[in-house]
């Protein structure tokens, strides 16, 4: 052991450099891991694998809070938080590594291997999913070791000018050139992190549905009638374009499913289990259906509802071919990303024509909406009826198999409530006095909308005019002409369905079977 100098390493780089260096090394490792993941298995990317594990482990109330607070930004926020926490941990490890090098490097490796473990423990994981985490660990540890070495040498050079390489360093002895080396090394690590992350994103975005040609339906619907959106500015369009359709799922990276290797299996308690390729599915007789999907997490007045024309094979056709046995009460569906969803057998067998859908608004399903195939079940909230990236339909019972959301205490029976939403005027907007349209949409899938009423400032309910009708499973647009007078006004709407049920005023939160209450909007007329 050497004697301890009175003032140990006076020129040794500041602790902050060690923190920053380890943080950058971890980022470089994660960038390399992300790139490798993009090539072999996008969801196994270190940050995403940890993020998915966090999603599944998050208690339902916290998840609800996140969805209602951040909306569809909940995923970027989660990924951002996981990244920040990881980088802070790496920084803290860097402080430790200044004096305890091998412990520090071991911890960097362990941090990265946590991501490999998270990827390996995903419900659909395969051995290859471990690779990105391992790459992250190797690159992270080597980068940290290298960078900390650069720091040590810069410190030594500054402390002992004679050990320096060049005359200018000897002359100044202030570590200026050492600092330059350190900065260059840091920039190098930053570049590796950014390049890995950027290339990874670019690779995992390439489309899979490029050359799919959808079959013509055996039953073709009339084109959807012209909606109210041209006349009533601000009302939701009658048909929601695919790129504007709400997206709700637990997938941090949108699964990119290769239609050539994809298969759909119908099995469980059936007489003749069978498996279809994508082409075999497309060769079956297809029908079209206009269906409005609604998410159970949609708050009153919320955005998680949309109407589309779906093309697909009735699920009943597939289940009849398989021969579902007595005693079965649910179809347990699975997706490529490991989601499991229980749908009541009845809803898939009756004449509502639930579909295994392959087309959405005249195009193959977009990847975000379940390519190559998904369930679309009219009348039930999406979490028990609309499995995306579908791979398996298993005939079973609720007693035997428990789906993802059921394990998290959500309802198993969840028909969509009769609801209406005011789209225009926007909440808290300012409008000129005079004739104004109050307009929106209303839905009561499986029952149909009979009417919508509007009231201003708690006055009498006034019947709104309804837009075109595309069947009981599709939403209706509505509007009311209103002679707006100056001041602050509260607008409310309520729908009544064809069964005669009027939307209830009672407020109920989305958990566990959908939100209820009247949508109310406050506007200022000038
Ligand atoms: N594989 C998979 N399918 C899923 C989900 C999911 O998380 N994973 N979420 C469901 C929920 S909660 C809803 S509301 C609908 C939403 O479908 P969309 O994103 O196409 O609008 O998909 C359903 N299908
Ligand atoms: Mo949902």
């Amino acid at each position: 052991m050497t004697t301890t100098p009175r003032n140990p390493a006076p020129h040794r780089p500041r602790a902050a450099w060690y923190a920053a260096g380890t943080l950058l090394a971890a980022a470089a490792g994660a960038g390399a891991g992300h790139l490798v993941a993009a090539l072999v298995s996008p969801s196994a990317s270190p940050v995403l694998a940890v993020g998915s594990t966090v999603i599944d482990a998050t208690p339902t109330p916290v998840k609800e809070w996140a969805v209602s607070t951040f909306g569809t930004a909940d995923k970027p926020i989660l990924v951002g938080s996981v990244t920040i926490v990881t980088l802070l941990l790496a920084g803290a490890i860097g402080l430790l590594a200044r004096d305890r090098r091998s412990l520090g490097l071991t911890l960097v490796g362990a941090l990265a291997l946590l991501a490999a473990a998270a990827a390996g423990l995903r419900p659909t994981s395969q051995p290859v999913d471990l690779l990105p985490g391992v790459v992250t660990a190797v690159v992270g540890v080597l980068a940290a070791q290298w960078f900390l070495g650069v720091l040590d040498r810069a410190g030594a050079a500054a402390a002992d000018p004679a050990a320096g390489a060049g005359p200018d360093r000897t002359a100044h002895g202030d570590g200026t050139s050492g600092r330059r080396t350190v900065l260059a090394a840091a920039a190098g690590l930053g570049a590796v992190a950014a390049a890995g992350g950027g290339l990874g994103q670019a690779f995992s975005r390439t489309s899979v549905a490029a050359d799919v040609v959808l079959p013509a339906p055996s039953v073709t619907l009339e084109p959807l009638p012209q909606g109210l959106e041209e006349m009533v500015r601000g009302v939701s369009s009658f048909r929601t374009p695919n790129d504007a359709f709400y997206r709700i799922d637990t997938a941090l990276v949108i699964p990119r499913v290769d239609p050539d290797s994809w298969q759909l299996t119908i099995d469980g308690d059936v007489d003749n289990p069978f498996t279809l390729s994508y082409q075999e599915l497309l060769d079956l007789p297809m029908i079209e259906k206009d269906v409005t999907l609604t998410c159970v997490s949609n708050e009153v007045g919320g955005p998680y509802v949309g109407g589309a024309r779906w093309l697909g094979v009735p699920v009943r056709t597939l289940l009849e071919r398989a021969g579902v046995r007595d005693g079965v009460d649910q179809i347990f569906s699975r997706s490529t990303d490991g989601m499991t969803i229980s749908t009541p057998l009845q809803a898939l067998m009756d004449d509502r024509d639930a579909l295994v859908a392959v087309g959405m608004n005249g195009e193959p399903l977009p990847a975000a909406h379940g390519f190559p195939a998904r369930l679309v079940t009219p009348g039930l909230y999406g979490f028990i009826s609309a499995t995306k990236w579908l791979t398996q339909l298993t005939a079973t019972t609720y007693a035997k198999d428990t789906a993802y959301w059921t394990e998290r205490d959500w309802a198993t029976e969840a028909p969509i409530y009769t609801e209406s939403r005011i789209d225009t005027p926007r909440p808290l907007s300012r409008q000129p006095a005079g004739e104004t349209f109050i307009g929106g949409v209303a839905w009561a899938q499986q029952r149909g909308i009979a009417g919508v009423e509007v009231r201003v400032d708690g006055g009498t309910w006034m019947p709104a005019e309804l837009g075109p009708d595309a069947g009981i499973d599709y939403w209706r647009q509505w509007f009311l002409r209103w002679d707006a007078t100056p001041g602050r006004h509260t607008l409310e709407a309520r729908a009544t369905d064809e069964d005669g049920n009027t939307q209830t005023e009672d407020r109920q939160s989305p958990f566990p079977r959908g939100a209820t209450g009247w949508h109310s909007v406050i506007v200022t007329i000038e």
Side-chain angles (χ1 to χ4, degrees):
M1 185 148 174
T2 51
T3 48
T4 313
R6 198 179 275 277
N7 181 2
H11 290 281
R12 207 167 158 210
R14 279 183 227 280
W17 269 113
Y18 285 81
T22 313
L23 186 153
L24 283 169
H34 190 65
L35 177 55
V36 170
L39 301 174
V40 299
S41 178
S43 58
S45 170
V47 173
L48 300 179
V50 173
S52 298
T53 305
V54 171
I55 290 183
D56 291 353
T58 304
T60 296
V62 179
K63 224 181 254 170
E64 276 305 279
W65 170 83
V67 170
S68 66
T69 311
F70 305 126
T72 40
D74 59 341
K75 280 178 195 150
I77 288 173
L78 172 75
V79 171
S81 313
V82 169
T83 308
I84 290 169
V85 169
T86 310
L87 293 180
L88 289 179
L89 279 175
I93 294 173
L95 296 179
L96 186 76
R98 196 171 181 230
D99 296 310
R100 307 192 56 188
R101 189 59 41 94
S102 39
L103 177 63
L105 293 177
T106 308
L107 288 176
V108 170
L111 190 61
L113 289 177
L114 273 183
L121 292 171
R122 303 294 308 146
T124 50
S125 81
Q126 298 184 332
V128 70
D129 292 337
L130 295 173
L131 189 64
V134 171
V135 168
T136 303
V138 171
V139 173
V141 169
L142 290 178
Q145 188 176 32
W146 170 72
F147 190 87
L148 299 180
V150 170
L151 283 180
D152 292 343
R153 284 190 294 280
D160 175 11
D168 55 350
R169 189 177 298 191
T170 339
H172 300 298
D174 61 357
T176 304
S177 129
R179 189 172 303 142
R180 228 175 272 139
T181 317
V182 169
L183 279 174
L189 288 183
V192 171
L199 282 176
Q201 285 303 92
F203 282 136
S204 52
R205 281 219 178 99
T206 42
S207 164
V208 279
D211 43 38
V212 167
V213 180
L214 290 179
S218 55
V219 179
T220 317
L221 295 180
E222 291 291 305
L224 269 187
Q226 173 65 47
L228 297 180
E229 58 269 25
E230 305 250 303
M231 184 179 92
V232 184
R233 292 280 145 180
V235 95
S236 301
S237 58
F238 195 34
R239 181 180 67 82
T240 312
N242 289 356
D243 57 10
F245 207 95
Y246 82 91
R247 175 191 160 209
I248 293 285
D249 53 57
T250 60
L252 278 180
V253 260
I254 298 173
R256 305 282 153 172
V257 182
D258 177 5
D260 293 331
S261 53
W262 175 87
Q263 291 186 319
L264 174 64
T265 297
I266 291 91
D267 63 2
D269 209 358
V270 298
D271 293 331
N272 313 298
F274 62 95
T275 294
L276 298 171
S277 68
Y278 185 52
Q279 193 54 52
E280 285 165 338
L281 179 66
L282 294 186
D283 289 343
L284 296 175
M286 300 259 162
I287 64 167
E288 285 184 311
K289 212 174 147 59
D290 295 317
V291 180
T292 292
L293 290 193
T294 313
C295 181
V296 70
S297 297
N298 196 43
E299 300 277 359
V300 171
Y304 307 140
V305 52
R309 174 161 292 185
W310 307 92
L311 171 76
V313 177
V315 184
R316 186 181 53 238
T317 320
L318 302 173
L319 294 179
E320 277 169 356
R321 172 165 158 194
V324 175
R325 295 193 178 135
D326 287 350
V328 168
D329 59 10
Q330 67 138 320
I331 298 298
F332 192 80
S333 54
R334 287 176 218 269
S335 69
T336 60
D337 68 326
M339 174 52 66
T340 56
I341 283 180
S342 289
T343 309
L345 176 67
Q346 164 75 22
L348 299 178
M349 291 300 280
D350 67 20
D351 61 4
R352 76 184 71 194
D353 286 336
L355 300 178
V356 169
V358 295
M360 180 179 186
N361 291 326
E363 290 167 25
L365 287 178
H369 297 289
F371 181 84
R374 71 174 302 169
L375 281 183
V376 171
T377 312
L380 304 180
Y381 286 111
F383 78 118
I384 56 165
S385 74
T387 317
K388 303 192 277 188
W389 314 294
L390 181 69
T391 57
Q392 197 174 0
L393 296 167
T394 303
T396 180
T397 62
Y398 283 100
K400 195 158 157 236
D401 288 297
T402 311
Y404 185 90
W405 299 108
T406 316
E407 276 166 15
R408 287 158 180 81
D409 299 327
W410 288 79
T412 50
E413 298 284 333
I416 299 171
Y417 287 108
T418 299
E419 285 183 75
S420 57
R421 179 177 77 192
I422 300 170
D423 291 334
T424 183
R426 304 293 304 159
L428 304 180
S429 61
R430 292 173 168 273
Q431 310 274 332
E435 191 171 83
T436 306
F437 281 120
I438 303 172
V441 282
W443 58 91
Q445 292 92 325
Q446 282 292 286
R447 298 176 297 282
I449 289 291
V452 174
E453 297 162 290
V454 178
R455 69 176 184 183
V456 179
D457 299 326
T460 47
W461 288 102
M462 298 171 278
E465 284 185 54
L466 295 181
D469 184 356
I472 58 171
D473 293 320
Y474 208 68
W475 61 9
R476 296 287 288 270
Q477 298 164 306
W478 57 264
F479 72 96
L480 180 78
R481 278 176 227 272
W482 172 45
D483 188 14
T485 53
R488 227 170 113 89
H489 298 291
T490 302
L491 314 176
E492 289 168 295
R494 66 174 191 195
T496 298
D497 63 33
E498 293 279 8
D499 286 356
N501 310 306
T502 297
Q503 180 178 346
T504 173
E505 182 180 11
D506 296 340
R507 280 269 164 178
Q508 178 176 298
S509 68
F511 179 79
R513 61 185 72 252
T516 62
W518 292 338
H519 189 205
S520 117
V521 161
I522 295 174
V523 283
T524 302
I525 305 298
E526 326 204 274

